[in-house]
Amino acid sequence: QVQLVESGGGLVQAGGSLRISCAASGNIFGINAMGWYRQGPGKQRELVAAITRGGRTNYADSVKGRFTISRNNAKNTVYLQMNSLKPEDTAVYYCTAGRSGIYGVDYWGKGTLVTVSS
């Protein structure tokens, strides 16, 4: 099993920035993709960004140019730097990890709440 623990969520004003982190532990051998999904109020869960162990990234169109995903393989940690935040970015952000391609998800974190006030 793999455990994913998110941190860094909170309340921020529109236009502000926030960085959330996720540390993976447990049986992490073979983990390739790590990423972030989010679920806003009354919305379906959606992919925000993902990154492979080799550094290939993918972003949702709604966050391109504002969010940056990065990863420290030595620390088994993935980060999401969020800039120019908008109220519509308000959501629970879930960390994910998978052993296959960039879209592969085998494990989920419990989530961290990001609230953007207008």
Side-chain angles (χ1 to χ4, degrees), residues 37-87:
Y37 280 68
R38 69 183 180 186
Q39 187 166 18
K43 299 180 181 179
Q44 290 189 331
R45 194 172 294 190
E46 61 176 356
L47 171 68
V48 177
I51 185 169
T52 65
R53 190 170 187 84
R56 178 189 167 200
T57 59
N58 186 58
Y59 294 93
D61 288 342
S62 59
V63 306
K64 283 181 181 176
R66 299 189 298 122
F67 291 12
T68 302
I69 189 170
S70 61
R71 178 172 177 169
N72 185 324
N73 291 328
K75 295 184 178 181
N76 300 309
T77 300
V78 64
Y79 307 94
L80 187 67
Q81 177 66 43
M82 303 180 287
N83 298 329
S84 302
L85 282 160
K86 304 175 181 180

Side-chain angles (χ1 to χ4, degrees), residues 1-20:
Q1 273 290 358
V2 173
Q3 293 77 45
L4 302 172
V5 179
E6 302 98 337
S7 60
L11 174 65
V12 63
Q13 287 188 331
S17 298
L18 198 65
R19 189 178 82 155
I20 55 178

Side-chain angles (χ1 to χ4, degrees), residues 38-44 87-93 113-115:
R38 69 183 180 186
Q39 187 166 18
K43 299 180 181 179
Q44 290 189 331
E88 50 263 44
D89 294 318
T90 294
V92 177
Y93 285 70
L113 177 63
V114 173
T115 303

